[in-house]
Structure formats: C-alpha cells, structure tokens
Amino acid sequence: MTEQLIDLLSRVESAEGGREIHDPATGELVGRTPEASPEDLDQAVARVRAQQPGWAGRSDAQRAEFLEAAADAVEAHAEELARLLSREQGKPLNGPNARFEVGACAAWLRATAQFRLEPEVLVDDDSAKATLHWRPLGVVGAIGPWNWPMMISIWQIAPSLRQGNTVVIKPSGYTPLSVLALVEVLNTVLPEDVLIAVPGRGDVGQALSRHPGVDKIMFTGSTQTGKSIIKDAADTVKRLTMELGGNDAGIVLDDADPEAIAEGLFWGAFINTGQTCAAMKRLYVPDALYDQVCEALVDIAHKMPMGVGLEEHNVLGPLQNSSQWEIVDRLVTAAVDSGARVLTGADPDPDRTGHFYPTTLIADIDPDNELVTEEQFGPALPIIRYSDLDQAIEWANSLEQALGSSVWSSDPERAEGVAARLIAGTTWINKHGAVDPRMPFGGARQSGFGLEFGVEGLKEVSQPHIISR
Ligand code: NDP
C-alpha cells in the first residue's frame, strides 16, 4: 500500500469527528467521512481551475499515459479498494461485485486511454475549408450514486481528464470512503490538483451544480435529483450528462430455451443485488414458456448465497441503506397484497442484522402493479405473463424511464427485429446490462441524456470548435 492510502484508511478508521459510515451488512463502523464546507468547495474549484490550462496543454499522448498509470495504480491497490468497497457499499467481494467493480475501474481507464478524438475536416473545396476541433470544456463537476461508487466515478473522471478537463467529484453521502480512497490512489500518479474530491451531501452537489467556476456536470443518480440539477445548472448554462434511473424490461420470446437463458436472466436482474441502473427490473414471459422460466429462475436463485460481503462464498449482499430497503419492502408488499404469487423470497427476517432483503421472484403479477411500474432497485423481480408479443412490447415501452432493455431468443435475427421496436438507450440480445467501454451508453426519455464511453463519450466532455476559412 502507498503511504497515502495507508494514511487515508487509518484516518477514516480512527479519526475523531466526521460523519460515521456503517457497514450495511453488519452495522459495524467502517470509518468517518469528512464533509466539505462551501469554502472547501470554492477552494477545490479554484485549485482545479488553476491547473486546467496546464493539464490541457499536455499532449494527448501524455494524458493517455496518465490514465494508463492510473489503471496500474488501481490494480496495485485492487484488494484494499475492493475490501473497503465491500464494507461500505455492502456488495460481496466475489460474483459481479466488489473485485469485479475495481477491475472495471482499471479496464475503463485503459480503454479510455485508447480512444482518440481527432479533428474532423467538414468542408474542403474551392468555396471553403472548415475543420471541427474538440477542445476541453474546462472544469467538470462529477456527482455520483452509491450503487457502483468507484466504477461510476471512473466513468466520469476518465473521459474528462482524457480530454484536458480537470475534475471536482462529489461522492454519494452513503459511500464517500470508497470514492475518497479511489481518488487517493489515482492522485498517486496524477499531477497535483487535476482531480479533487469534495465529500458531502446533496447540498454540496447542489452548490457544485450552481457553481460559476464549473463548466459541466456529469451526474448519475435518480431522475428526481437529475431534474433538480438541470434547474440548478440553468443559470450558468452548464453542459450536462444525465444518467438517471431505469426500469428496464426483458422480453423472452417463445422460441427461447429457458434452461439456457436462466442464468443470464438472473444476473441481468440481480447484479449488485438488483441495485443497478441498467438491471432488468421487469420480465415479460410468454404463456408457452412461463412455468419453465419461473422454475429455472427459482432453481438459480436458491443456489446464490446472500450474506456479509467479506465472506468469500457470498455473491449477493444487503441493500446499501435502510431507505432503499423500505422501497423494496413497500413494493413487494404491494405486489403480494394484490394477489401476485411469491415464487421465492418476500419474507424478510424480522430479527435480521443489516439491510438484507431475500432474493424475491414474483409471478402472476398485473402489468400495472407498482412493483412493475416503479423502479425497485433491489433483489425483487416481477415476472409478467403475456400471450401477445405486440402487447408485451407495448407494456415494455409504456414507462417514462427507458434506459436499457433486452430480448431473449434462440433466433438472434428475430430478437433484433423485436429490439428495433423497443424504446431504450441500449437493447441487449440474450444478455442484460452488459456495459462495455467501447459502446456508448445513455438513456432515452426520463432516463437521461448524453452518452458515456467510447469516442462518443469523449465528445460529451469536449467543446466543439469549428475553424472555417
Ligand atoms: P440520488 O439522486 O439520490 O443521489 C445521487 C447523487 O446526487 C448523490 O451524490 C447525492 O448526494 C447527490 N444529490 C442529492 N441531492 C442533490 C441535489 N439537489 N443536487 C445535486 N446533487 C444531489 O441517487 P442515488 O444515490 O439514490 O442512486 C440511485 C438512483 O440512481 C437510482 O434511481 C438509479 O436508477 C440511478 N442510477 C442511474 C444510473 C445510470 O447510469 N443511469 C447508474 C446508477 C444509478 P447524497 O447521496 O449525499 O444525497
């Protein structure tokens, strides 16, 4: 471990003062987070602003090298980061969870180092020559959620730095330590003051969104907070990337093989114990396959251990916080009260320690039940029966959120035809939520706007500048 990281970890574990952060699985104290004051935020913005011209003045290749070095640093500290993330967020070390998330941080840094946004010749003839250049925006303010705190921070930081911007990042108040530790690690290799973290609650996020020294906000979180940031950013006409809530549909076609798709369906819905923006949150299954798909999902659910994150065998964890636990419980209770059939789960232990909610599968549920139409963001999947594919597509397209969706079939061509009729930022075939740094990712409708990843993601943190003669 570097001295900086040892220092940070010992500070969060033993410091007097600061707000306590508890492990959502055990209730144990993980550490204490400092909270930024308005003056701290002003200073952070002023510091990164002062460094921005120098950072932008480095060559593109140099900035790419810094991202590669940052990936090396993350890998060198992968296990410490994963253990802290597991304790603070609750997600297990194994499965598509803490070690996977830290690995994704390094992978996204490396991939972002490889992308190149070249100037584009728009017109070159006797009448004119015009070239499109991509300049840095200046200072990017990054605001993130608690579900994938490290990975989503990297999604915001890596393209911003790559394009010559500097960054002030405000972590979620639920998972600040993970982001503070990650930023410490990145800052072991980055030049001073190109990246500063300002831990704090929503008021700090609001001040960042309104700050005249910030040129762009990259936000990932709920649609409700996104709307408030859009208003707060209006006075300074900030650029915005909004990655907001989702309520993704999966549609199984009648030619699918239930056994073959069951594990993909399960992890599509239950990755990170369902606390994932682009997880499958409602599943539509045709009459002909309904019972087989339900049985196959129940079999898998019973094989996936849920428990304390640091215990190596677990692959599902607790909800990160009690508010999210209450949302899941309210929606499942509404479904059960409506007469829907519980295939497994829906019976939280009244004597539990930690915010555990059992893996829950609900069948024979009305398509307009709240568990279907509201984002549950937890380990509870409603499985809706359909007899007419057009009807299933209409249901899938009926909500305000439209982040991702998926189609499951033995015939990929047919699945693509159905995919083309779905409204979403991404539609996956025979998988769900499989984000990839090479493929732009963003939402339709109230799931947001703007793209992350790939060359398109670099454009979002750049100012187009046309030179015409
Ligand atoms: P929130 O919107 O509650 O919070 C997100 C971030 O915004 C936090 O850092 C929060 O701080 C901050 N914040 C709160 N109020 C304000 C404000 N007025 N101005 C500026 N910032 C503010 O989302 P959650 O953390 O609860 O995340 C869950 C939600 O995020 C789900 O709806 C999920 O779908 C969505 N999400 C979307 C993703 C996507 O890519 N589309 C990915 C991941 C999640 P604090 O925590 O301190 O309140």
Side-chain angles (χ1 to χ4, degrees):
M1 263 197 267
T2 59
E3 276 176 26
Q4 288 99 315
L5 188 59
I6 294 170
D7 184 45
L8 174 92
L9 293 178
S10 63
R11 262 187 288 136
V12 299
E13 277 164 15
S14 62
E16 294 297 315
R19 189 165 51 82
E20 290 189 354
I21 300 287
H22 294 270
D23 183 333
T26 61
E28 284 165 14
L29 184 68
V30 179
R32 294 178 173 83
T33 179
E35 305 263 38
S37 65
E39 294 73 35
D40 295 333
L41 175 64
D42 286 343
Q43 279 177 18
V45 172
R47 278 163 56 195
V48 301
R49 220 173 166 88
Q51 292 308 313
Q52 192 272 329
W55 176 245
R58 290 175 187 262
S59 72
D60 191 58
Q62 275 181 327
R63 288 196 302 273
E65 277 169 28
F66 275 111
L67 292 196
E68 291 280 3
D72 292 342
V74 168
E75 280 168 354
H77 297 293
E79 190 59 16
E80 303 98 276
L81 290 173
R83 296 182 84 80
L84 175 61
L85 175 62
S86 177
R87 290 167 63 215
E88 185 182 51
Q89 204 285 334
K91 61 182 69 190
L93 287 172
N94 291 317
N97 293 300
R99 288 181 178 131
F100 169 86
E101 178 167 351
V102 175
C105 291
W108 249 270
L109 283 162
R110 289 199 200 289
T112 309
Q114 298 306 316
F115 304 135
R116 283 188 74 80
L117 190 47
E118 306 280 5
E120 226 176 290
V121 177
L122 303 173
V123 180
D124 189 5
D125 61 22
D126 294 344
S127 67
K129 178 163 187 197
T131 315
L132 167 59
H133 300 265
W134 299 97
R135 313 292 189 206
L137 284 168
V139 172
V140 172
I143 304 175
W146 46 259
N147 56 343
W148 294 90
M150 290 188 184
M151 184 173 74
I152 290 175
S153 297
I154 290 292
W155 292 356
Q156 299 171 329
I157 293 167
S160 300
L161 293 180
R162 178 81 174 90
Q163 288 306 100
N165 305 287
T166 51
V167 179
V168 172
I169 185 163
K170 191 215 87 72
S172 164
Y174 290 107
T175 50
L177 304 180
S178 299
V179 178
L180 290 174
L182 177 70
V183 168
E184 290 275 336
V185 168
L186 300 176
N187 276 335
T188 59
V189 296
L190 292 173
E192 203 174 348
D193 287 350
V194 302
L195 168 65
I196 297 180
V198 284
R201 299 308 310 246
D203 55 330
V204 177
Q206 186 170 50
L208 191 61
S209 308
R210 292 177 174 174
H211 205 292
V214 174
D215 301 283
K216 160 139 194 161
I217 295 290
M218 292 189 79
F219 174 72
T220 298
S222 63
T223 299
Q224 193 188 359
T225 304
K227 288 178 184 177
S228 151
I229 291 175
I230 292 167
K231 289 181 195 149
D232 284 325
D235 275 348
T236 45
V237 195
K238 282 188 181 55
R239 277 53 179 161
L240 297 170
T241 297
M242 290 278 137
E243 295 289 359
L244 308 178
N247 192 346
D248 291 10
I251 302 183
V252 175
L253 303 189
D254 57 10
D255 60 18
D257 174 351
E259 289 298 326
I261 62 173
E263 191 154 346
L265 287 174
F266 182 85
W267 283 118
F270 291 93
I271 181 168
N272 200 28
T273 315
Q275 301 163 102
T276 300
C277 52
M280 188 201 301
K281 294 177 179 135
R282 46 197 174 114
L283 177 62
Y284 298 91
V285 180
D287 278 325
L289 299 181
Y290 195 79
D291 291 342
Q292 285 167 273
V293 169
C294 287
E295 277 164 32
L297 279 171
V298 170
D299 283 351
I300 290 181
H302 288 165
K303 286 183 201 143
M304 299 297 174
M306 179 184 281
V308 174
L310 293 186
E311 292 171 7
E312 296 276 347
H313 63 282
N314 290 322
V315 292
L316 296 164
L319 274 308
Q320 201 283 329
N321 54 74
S322 59
S323 308
Q324 196 59 46
W325 192 98
E326 297 293 341
I327 292 171
V328 174
D329 187 52
R330 172 175 63 78
L331 293 173
V332 172
T333 303
V336 174
D337 289 349
S338 77
R341 181 161 56 100
V342 177
L343 296 171
T344 188
D347 56 348
D349 178 356
D351 302 322
R352 69 189 171 276
T353 304
H355 308 309
F356 287 99
Y357 199 91
T359 306
T360 298
L361 293 164
I362 302 283
D364 296 330
I365 182 167
D366 287 341
D368 56 359
N369 187 280
E370 286 163 86
L371 180 61
V372 179
T373 58
E374 280 186 39
E375 183 186 32
Q376 68 278 49
F377 217 63
L381 180 68
I383 308 170
I384 306 105
R385 187 191 289 271
Y386 77 84
S387 46
D388 172 9
L389 180 58
D390 289 341
Q391 173 74 85
I393 292 171
E394 196 182 314
W395 284 335
N397 286 338
S398 65
L399 303 182
E400 285 171 345
Q401 285 117 331
L403 186 58
S405 57
S406 58
V407 183
W408 303 73
S409 167
S410 299
D411 178 349
E413 297 297 323
R414 181 177 173 223
E416 282 210 24
V418 174
R421 297 173 61 194
L422 294 175
I423 298 167
T426 307
T427 301
W428 290 278
I429 311 284
N430 292 331
K431 54 189 181 181
H432 197 113
V435 289
D436 182 317
R438 299 165 300 177
M439 299 176 197
F441 174 72
R445 292 185 173 162
Q446 293 196 22
S447 287
F449 53 84
L451 290 169
E452 296 184 291
F453 317 159
V455 174
E456 294 306 316
L458 298 184
K459 290 180 183 171
E460 298 275 338
V461 283
S462 308
Q463 172 62 49
H465 181 198
I466 290 134
I467 299 183
S468 170
R469 62 179 155 97

